[in-house]
């Protein structure tokens, strides 16, 4: 009996040690102090970018300097006025904006098609002339429309722009946003909805922006959805849930595994950090997030 008890205790202790080691390995990506203070060379499997609006306390110039120093290659959500600054620092405008009306008045509603055609037909050549590729767009609010009505309206509004986009080698990228917390009534709020729109348009010049934060809120199952729909995804945004939080161990998404899935499906585009920094030093928050997401 004593021998059996000792054996059970030894096995229990061994298992506990294994769990502790495994958990420590998983959490190390979030807790290593070195990531806050030391710039290590990035692995090169992810094209890192950062969203401009999250760091509005910095000038575009200052953000570019910091991004370049960290190994970040692109700045998201800037328009023509800021492109010269990005070029000065050798950074790419990884997701251009400036043609959209707003987030609620989009291609899913026919009343906005004329204005959107004008905006995008003028912006697409500017994006191309600057040497960029991705231009953001939005479905807009549902406003009582069924999925079928939303798809049909989006196809009707986007189809005339596809020829222009194809001519200039520009991709219109529709962002998937959550309709539960941040953007109530937004129509393109599921990966499958966006994928169906891509199929109906049938153009390589229309893709999706898969915002991981938004999609975790509305549909979850992030890794499987990335694997299922990756051929329709041109771009990714990050952000911790809840609260578009800084990427650390206080939120429910484990970003190293998500980034690994993005690499495994062969994504060659950008992954842009889009979170609200919580550290007093916002650039320390950015540096840490980039290294957590560097697989």
């Amino acid at each position: 009996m004593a021998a059996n008890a000792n054996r059970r205790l030894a096995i229990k202790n061994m298992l506990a040690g294994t769990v502790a080691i495994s958990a420590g390995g998983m959490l190390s990506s979030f807790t290593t102090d070195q990531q806050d203070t030391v710039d290590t060379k990035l692995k090169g499997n992810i094209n890192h970018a950062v969203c401009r609006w999250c760091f509005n306390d910095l000038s575009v110039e200052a953000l570019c300097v910091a991004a370049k120093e960290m190994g970040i290659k692109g700045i998201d959500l800037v328009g023509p006025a800021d492109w010269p600054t990005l070029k000065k620092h050798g950074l790419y405008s990884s997701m251009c904006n400036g043609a959209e009306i707003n987030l609620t008045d989009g291609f899913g509603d026919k009343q906005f098609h004329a204005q959107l055609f004008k905006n995008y037909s003028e912006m697409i050549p500017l994006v191309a002339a600057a040497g960029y590729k991705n231009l953001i767009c939005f479905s807009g609010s549902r406003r009582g429309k069924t999925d079928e009505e939303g798809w049909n309206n989006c196809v009707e509004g986007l189809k005339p722009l596809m020829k222009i986009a194809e001519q200039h080698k520009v991709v219109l990228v529709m962002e998937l946003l959550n309709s539960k917390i941040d953007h109530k009534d937004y129509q393109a709020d599921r990966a499958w909805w966006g994928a169906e729109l891509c199929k109906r348009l049938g153009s390589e010049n229309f893709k999706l922006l898969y915002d991981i934060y938004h999609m975790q809120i509305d549909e979850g199952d992030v890794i499987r959805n990335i694997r299922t729909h990756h051929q329709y995804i041109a771009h990714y945004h990050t952000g911790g849930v809840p609260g578009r939080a800084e990427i650390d161990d206080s939120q429910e998404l484990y970003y190293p595994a998500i980034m690994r899935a993005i690499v495994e499906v062969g994504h060659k585009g950008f992954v842009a950090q889009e979170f609200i920094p919580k550290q007093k030093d916002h650039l320390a928050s950015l540096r840490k997030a980039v290294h957590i997401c560097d697989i």
Side-chain angles (χ1 to χ4, degrees):
M1 289 289 290
N4 287 338
N6 289 338
R7 186 168 68 234
R8 286 196 297 271
L9 180 61
I11 292 171
K12 182 179 179 181
N13 288 338
M14 183 172 65
L15 289 174
T18 301
V19 170
I21 291 169
S22 299
M26 288 177 67
L27 292 176
S28 64
S29 294
F30 291 111
T31 58
T32 301
D33 290 339
Q34 183 185 31
Q35 290 163 346
D36 286 338
T37 58
V38 178
D39 291 321
T40 57
K41 187 175 180 179
L42 299 178
K43 295 181 178 68
N45 295 319
I46 299 283
N47 290 318
H48 294 282
V50 58
C51 289
R52 166 73 186 116
W53 74 267
C54 299
F55 296 87
N56 278 335
D57 58 316
L58 299 173
S59 66
V60 174
E61 180 92 22
L63 181 60
C64 285
V65 169
K68 187 76 173 179
E69 179 265 335
M70 291 181 202
I72 292 172
K73 297 179 180 179
I75 307 291
D76 260 32
L77 305 180
V78 293
D82 292 318
W83 293 344
T85 305
L86 272 62
K87 288 179 180 292
K88 172 183 171 183
H89 294 281
L91 291 169
Y92 190 74
S93 183
S94 39
M95 184 57 64
C96 303
N97 70 357
E100 69 278 7
I101 298 172
N102 51 51
L103 303 186
T104 59
D105 302 335
F107 284 98
D109 203 318
K110 292 183 180 183
Q111 66 178 307
F112 305 117
H113 283 180
Q115 184 63 53
L116 288 167
F117 181 83
K118 180 179 186 299
N119 291 1
Y120 279 86
S121 61
E122 291 174 357
M123 184 66 76
I124 288 169
L126 297 180
V127 171
Y132 302 135
K133 183 177 181 180
N134 293 331
L135 177 59
I136 200 167
C137 67
F138 301 94
S139 71
S141 298
R142 185 178 288 270
R143 294 186 173 94
K145 295 184 295 296
T146 65
D147 288 332
E148 192 64 34
E149 288 170 327
W151 285 320
N152 289 339
N153 288 353
C154 282
V155 168
E156 183 180 317
L158 286 161
K159 200 77 171 179
L161 290 167
M162 289 298 97
K163 291 181 180 179
I164 302 172
E166 289 163 5
Q167 177 187 349
H168 291 279
K169 296 180 172 57
V170 168
V171 179
L172 298 188
V173 187
M174 182 171 284
E175 184 164 14
L176 304 173
L177 304 174
N178 83 75
S179 59
K180 179 180 178 181
I181 302 297
D182 300 289
H183 303 286
K184 298 290 182 70
D185 201 43
Y186 189 76
Q187 187 144 39
D189 60 352
R190 302 289 195 282
W192 59 263
W193 196 97
E196 177 62 23
L197 179 56
C198 290
K199 293 173 188 175
R200 294 188 182 204
L201 280 165
S203 173
E204 288 299 307
N205 293 77
F206 180 82
K207 297 287 186 180
L208 304 175
L209 195 171
Y210 187 93
D211 189 305
I212 298 164
Y213 160 77
H214 286 298
M215 291 301 94
Q216 170 67 2
I217 291 172
D218 264 11
E219 65 182 5
D221 207 3
V222 167
I223 290 175
R224 189 172 69 86
N225 278 312
I226 287 171
R227 288 173 175 161
T228 300
H229 302 297
H230 68 89
Q231 67 268 38
Y232 304 115
I233 299 170
H235 199 80
Y236 292 89
H237 280 172
T238 73
V241 180
R244 185 136 239 148
E246 184 172 318
I247 296 173
D248 58 22
D249 58 359
S250 69
Q251 46 86 26
E252 64 195 38
L253 289 162
Y254 183 62
Y255 266 96
I258 295 171
M259 293 299 109
R260 195 171 298 114
I262 289 172
V263 170
E264 288 172 355
V265 299
H267 180 67
K268 301 301 182 186
F270 282 82
V271 175
Q273 299 293 336
E274 190 179 26
F275 63 86
I276 308 300
K278 71 177 183 181
Q279 298 186 51
K280 185 175 181 180
D281 181 351
H282 288 181
L283 292 178
S285 295
L286 178 58
R287 183 178 294 109
K288 181 177 180 180
V290 168
H291 282 283
I292 287 170
C293 292
D294 194 53
I295 298 300

